[in-house]
């Protein structure tokens, strides 16, 4: 159901040997929130397993089943963040998981962790545990320090634009993705000097520049103002525009 904690669902599936969502371990939030931004991490996305979404129209209370195609899932995006933003309440999702599968362990950080710890993944639980360990090592626990996980989307640029950037920043972190170049937002934020910076009750996490944190008692406006300043700073330094991954209401 939509109100279940997402990681609880991942653990439920992984411990029972079901493949498909193990790479999405420890992502904060509920099951119902997952399709809103097509959650993704460590080489996997929700759209890889999503079949349909059950939702109720807020104004009429009418139930509607959205197919995966109707959800218009994109990179941390969906119809529920655009045309239908604020119009539907997601009550349940249907996923297609399988008892037969192969470890999705090609993502660089995950691959390095497995090799370093001499782990040869044989089950979805092996991958889930590895991803959870990686996340715990570098991301703050929302129960201890307020945060919403990754605050910004990574940036996609054409190859020609990337080549210009690479001349000025030879060490720029990047990945090829469906014909474009993906530049990690965390790299841009860190190089702009924001990693570990604190402004009153809010700040940028010291271990992961992609995470904005509320140290206690801060308002949403304070966090948003910090985010806007980061966006302006990255734009000024690199000529690239960061886009929030979180759903701002």
């Amino acid at each position: 159901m939509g109100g279940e904690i997402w990681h609880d669902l991942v653990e439920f599936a992984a411990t029972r040997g079901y493949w498909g969502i193990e790479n999405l371990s420890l992502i904060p939030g509920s099951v119902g929130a997952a399709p809103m931004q097509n959650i993704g991490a460590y080489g996997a996305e929700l759209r890889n397993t999503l079949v349909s979404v059950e939702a109720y129209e807020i104004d009429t209370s009418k139930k509607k089943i959205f197919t995966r195609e109707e959800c218009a899932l994109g990179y941390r995006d969906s119809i529920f963040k655009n045309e239908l933003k604020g119009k539907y309440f997601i009550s349940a999702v249907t996923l297609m998981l399988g008892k037969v599968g192969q470890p999705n362990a090609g993502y660089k950080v995950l691959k390095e962790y497995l090799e370093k710890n001499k782990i040869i993944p044989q089950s979805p639980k092996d991958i889930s545990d590895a991803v959870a360990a990686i996340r715990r090592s570098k991301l703050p626990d929302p129960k201890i320090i307020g945060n919403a996980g990754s605050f910004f989307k990574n940036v996609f640029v054409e190859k020609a634009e990337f080549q210009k950037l690479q001349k000025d920043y030879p060490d720029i972190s990047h990945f090829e993705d469906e014909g474009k170049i993906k530049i990690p937002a965390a790299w841009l934020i860190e190089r702009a000097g924001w990693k570990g910076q604190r402004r009153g009750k809010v700040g940028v996490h010291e271990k992961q520049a992609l995470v904005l944190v509320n140290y206690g008692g801060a308002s949403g406006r304070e966090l948003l103002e910090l985010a806007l300043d980061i966006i302006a700073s990255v734009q000024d330094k690199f000529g690239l525009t960061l886009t929030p991954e979180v759903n701002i209401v």
Side-chain angles (χ1 to χ4, degrees):
M1 303 300 286
E4 297 291 334
I5 300 300
W6 172 258
H7 183 62
D8 290 349
L9 173 62
V10 175
E11 284 198 317
F12 180 89
T15 55
R16 288 162 177 77
Y18 286 97
W19 295 90
I21 55 175
E22 59 279 356
N23 291 57
L24 306 180
S25 295
L26 220 62
I27 293 178
S30 65
V31 172
M36 286 192 67
Q37 63 179 45
N38 181 32
I39 58 172
Y42 299 94
E45 290 185 313
L46 183 72
R47 63 178 162 185
N48 301 141
T49 56
L50 184 70
V51 175
S52 63
V53 169
E54 176 191 276
Y56 286 84
E57 189 173 21
I58 294 174
D59 288 343
T60 65
S61 297
K62 290 183 178 180
K63 183 173 78 172
K64 177 176 172 58
I65 303 297
F66 291 85
T67 65
R68 177 175 57 186
E69 291 71 24
E70 289 174 325
C71 289
L73 302 177
Y75 173 64
R76 306 301 172 268
D77 202 13
S78 75
I79 195 171
F80 303 108
K81 288 182 71 175
N82 296 290
E83 302 98 302
L84 300 184
K85 183 176 181 179
K87 296 182 179 180
Y88 278 86
F89 173 83
I90 297 175
S91 53
V93 301
T94 300
L95 305 175
M96 182 178 288
L97 308 179
K99 292 289 280 186
V100 177
Q102 293 293 326
N104 178 2
Y107 194 83
K108 183 180 178 182
V109 175
L110 176 56
K111 183 179 180 180
E112 290 174 348
Y113 176 88
L114 294 171
E115 291 176 348
K116 179 181 178 181
N117 291 278
K118 296 180 172 57
I119 299 171
I120 301 176
Q122 302 292 327
S123 69
K125 187 66 165 59
D126 292 338
I127 294 293
S128 177
D129 288 346
V131 169
I134 294 169
R135 294 183 71 93
R136 289 190 179 102
S137 71
K138 65 178 184 178
L139 298 174
D141 186 342
K143 295 178 182 178
I144 300 174
I145 300 177
N147 74 91
S150 299
F151 197 93
F152 297 102
K153 297 180 183 181
N154 293 320
V155 179
F156 287 81
V157 299
E158 299 293 342
K159 290 184 178 180
E161 184 178 1
F162 172 74
Q163 289 169 354
K164 293 178 182 178
L165 282 167
Q166 198 172 35
K167 289 181 180 179
D168 294 327
Y169 306 97
D171 64 335
I172 187 170
S173 180
H174 65 283
F175 308 90
E176 286 202 35
D177 192 317
E178 298 182 356
K180 290 191 175 184
I181 303 298
K182 179 170 70 175
I183 302 173
W187 187 91
L188 296 170
I189 295 167
E190 182 174 351
R191 288 299 295 267
W194 286 97
K195 187 176 182 180
Q197 293 297 312
R198 180 167 178 168
R199 180 188 291 175
K201 298 176 182 178
V202 298
V204 181
H205 194 251
E206 59 184 8
K207 292 184 178 180
Q208 174 52 269
L210 204 53
V211 177
L212 305 190
V213 296
N214 181 341
Y215 290 104
S219 66
R221 178 166 294 279
E222 289 175 278
L223 201 63
L224 181 59
E225 288 175 351
L226 173 63
L228 292 175
D229 284 346
I230 292 172
I231 291 172
S233 176
V234 168
Q235 176 69 45
D236 183 62
K237 185 175 181 66
F238 300 103
L240 300 174
T241 302
L242 291 177
T243 303
E245 178 177 325
V246 298
N247 192 27
I248 299 174
V249 296

Short mmCIF file of all heavy atoms in Angstrom, two decimals, residues 155-162 174-183:
data_model
loop_
_atom_site.label_atom_id
_atom_site.label_comp_id
_atom_site.label_asym_id
_atom_site.label_seq_id
_atom_site.Cartn_x
_atom_site.Cartn_y
_atom_site.Cartn_z
N VAL A 155 22.78 16.69 -13.68
CA VAL A 155 22.61 17.54 -14.86
C VAL A 155 23.00 16.78 -16.12
O VAL A 155 24.06 16.15 -16.17
CB VAL A 155 23.47 18.82 -14.73
CG1 VAL A 155 23.31 19.70 -15.97
CG2 VAL A 155 23.07 19.59 -13.47
N PHE A 156 22.15 16.86 -17.14
CA PHE A 156 22.44 16.22 -18.43
C PHE A 156 22.76 17.30 -19.46
O PHE A 156 22.04 18.30 -19.57
CB PHE A 156 21.24 15.41 -18.90
CG PHE A 156 21.03 14.13 -18.13
CD1 PHE A 156 20.39 14.15 -16.90
CD2 PHE A 156 21.49 12.92 -18.63
CE1 PHE A 156 20.20 12.98 -16.18
CE2 PHE A 156 21.31 11.74 -17.92
CZ PHE A 156 20.66 11.77 -16.69
N VAL A 157 23.84 17.10 -20.20
CA VAL A 157 24.23 18.06 -21.24
C VAL A 157 24.60 17.30 -22.51
O VAL A 157 24.90 16.10 -22.48
CB VAL A 157 25.43 18.93 -20.79
CG1 VAL A 157 25.08 19.75 -19.57
CG2 VAL A 157 26.66 18.07 -20.53
N GLU A 158 24.57 18.02 -23.62
CA GLU A 158 25.01 17.43 -24.89
C GLU A 158 26.53 17.28 -24.86
O GLU A 158 27.24 17.98 -24.12
CB GLU A 158 24.59 18.32 -26.06
CG GLU A 158 23.09 18.52 -26.19
CD GLU A 158 22.35 17.25 -26.57
OE1 GLU A 158 23.02 16.30 -27.06
OE2 GLU A 158 21.13 17.19 -26.38
N LYS A 159 27.05 16.39 -25.69
CA LYS A 159 28.48 16.11 -25.70
C LYS A 159 29.31 17.35 -26.04
O LYS A 159 30.38 17.57 -25.47
CB LYS A 159 28.79 14.98 -26.68
CG LYS A 159 28.28 13.62 -26.21
CD LYS A 159 28.68 12.50 -27.15
CE LYS A 159 28.19 11.15 -26.63
NZ LYS A 159 28.57 10.04 -27.54
N ALA A 160 28.81 18.17 -26.96
CA ALA A 160 29.55 19.37 -27.35
C ALA A 160 29.69 20.34 -26.18
O ALA A 160 30.76 20.92 -25.96
CB ALA A 160 28.85 20.06 -28.52
N GLU A 161 28.62 20.50 -25.41
CA GLU A 161 28.67 21.39 -24.25
C GLU A 161 29.60 20.83 -23.19
O GLU A 161 30.35 21.57 -22.55
CB GLU A 161 27.27 21.58 -23.67
CG GLU A 161 27.21 22.56 -22.51
CD GLU A 161 25.81 22.78 -21.97
OE1 GLU A 161 24.87 22.14 -22.49
OE2 GLU A 161 25.66 23.58 -21.03
N PHE A 162 29.57 19.51 -23.02
CA PHE A 162 30.44 18.89 -22.03
C PHE A 162 31.91 19.08 -22.39
O PHE A 162 32.75 19.34 -21.52
CB PHE A 162 30.13 17.40 -21.90
CG PHE A 162 31.13 16.68 -21.03
CD1 PHE A 162 31.10 16.83 -19.65
CD2 PHE A 162 32.11 15.88 -21.59
CE1 PHE A 162 32.04 16.19 -18.85
CE2 PHE A 162 33.05 15.25 -20.80
CZ PHE A 162 33.01 15.40 -19.42
N HIS A 174 31.73 12.63 -14.68
CA HIS A 174 30.69 12.50 -15.70
C HIS A 174 30.46 11.04 -16.07
O HIS A 174 31.30 10.17 -15.82
CB HIS A 174 31.08 13.27 -16.96
CG HIS A 174 32.29 12.72 -17.65
ND1 HIS A 174 33.57 12.94 -17.18
CD2 HIS A 174 32.43 11.95 -18.76
CE1 HIS A 174 34.44 12.35 -17.97
NE2 HIS A 174 33.77 11.72 -18.93
N PHE A 175 29.29 10.79 -16.67
CA PHE A 175 28.92 9.46 -17.15
C PHE A 175 28.13 9.62 -18.44
O PHE A 175 27.37 10.58 -18.60
CB PHE A 175 28.03 8.73 -16.13
CG PHE A 175 28.60 8.67 -14.74
CD1 PHE A 175 28.33 9.68 -13.82
CD2 PHE A 175 29.42 7.62 -14.36
CE1 PHE A 175 28.85 9.63 -12.54
CE2 PHE A 175 29.94 7.57 -13.07
CZ PHE A 175 29.66 8.57 -12.16
N GLU A 176 28.30 8.70 -19.35
CA GLU A 176 27.48 8.71 -20.56
C GLU A 176 26.16 8.03 -20.25
O GLU A 176 26.11 6.99 -19.60
CB GLU A 176 28.19 7.99 -21.71
CG GLU A 176 29.33 8.79 -22.29
CD GLU A 176 29.68 8.37 -23.71
OE1 GLU A 176 28.75 7.99 -24.46
OE2 GLU A 176 30.87 8.41 -24.05
N ASP A 177 25.08 8.65 -20.70
CA ASP A 177 23.75 8.12 -20.40
C ASP A 177 22.80 8.43 -21.55
O ASP A 177 22.40 9.58 -21.74
CB ASP A 177 23.23 8.74 -19.09
CG ASP A 177 21.99 8.03 -18.55
OD1 ASP A 177 21.10 7.71 -19.36
OD2 ASP A 177 21.91 7.81 -17.34
N GLU A 178 22.46 7.40 -22.31
CA GLU A 178 21.50 7.52 -23.41
C GLU A 178 21.85 8.66 -24.37
O GLU A 178 21.00 9.48 -24.74
CB GLU A 178 20.08 7.70 -22.86
CG GLU A 178 19.60 6.51 -22.04
CD GLU A 178 18.18 6.67 -21.53
OE1 GLU A 178 17.59 7.76 -21.75
OE2 GLU A 178 17.67 5.73 -20.92
N GLY A 179 23.11 8.71 -24.77
CA GLY A 179 23.54 9.68 -25.76
C GLY A 179 23.91 11.04 -25.23
O GLY A 179 24.37 11.91 -25.98
N LYS A 180 23.70 11.26 -23.93
CA LYS A 180 24.07 12.53 -23.32
C LYS A 180 25.11 12.29 -22.24
O LYS A 180 25.44 11.16 -21.91
CB LYS A 180 22.84 13.23 -22.74
CG LYS A 180 21.88 13.76 -23.80
CD LYS A 180 20.83 14.67 -23.19
CE LYS A 180 19.95 15.30 -24.26
NZ LYS A 180 18.98 16.26 -23.68
N ILE A 181 25.61 13.38 -21.68
CA ILE A 181 26.58 13.29 -20.60
C ILE A 181 25.91 13.72 -19.30
O ILE A 181 25.34 14.81 -19.21
CB ILE A 181 27.81 14.19 -20.86
CG1 ILE A 181 28.46 13.83 -22.20
CG2 ILE A 181 28.81 14.05 -19.72
CD1 ILE A 181 29.00 12.42 -22.28
N LYS A 182 25.98 12.84 -18.31
CA LYS A 182 25.41 13.16 -16.99
C LYS A 182 26.51 13.64 -16.07
O LYS A 182 27.52 12.96 -15.87
CB LYS A 182 24.73 11.92 -16.40
CG LYS A 182 24.13 12.16 -15.02
CD LYS A 182 23.26 11.00 -14.57
CE LYS A 182 24.08 9.77 -14.25
NZ LYS A 182 23.24 8.68 -13.68
N ILE A 183 26.31 14.82 -15.51
CA ILE A 183 27.27 15.40 -14.57
C ILE A 183 26.65 15.36 -13.18
O ILE A 183 25.57 15.93 -12.96
CB ILE A 183 27.61 16.86 -14.95
CG1 ILE A 183 28.17 16.91 -16.38
CG2 ILE A 183 28.61 17.45 -13.96
CD1 ILE A 183 28.38 18.31 -16.90
#
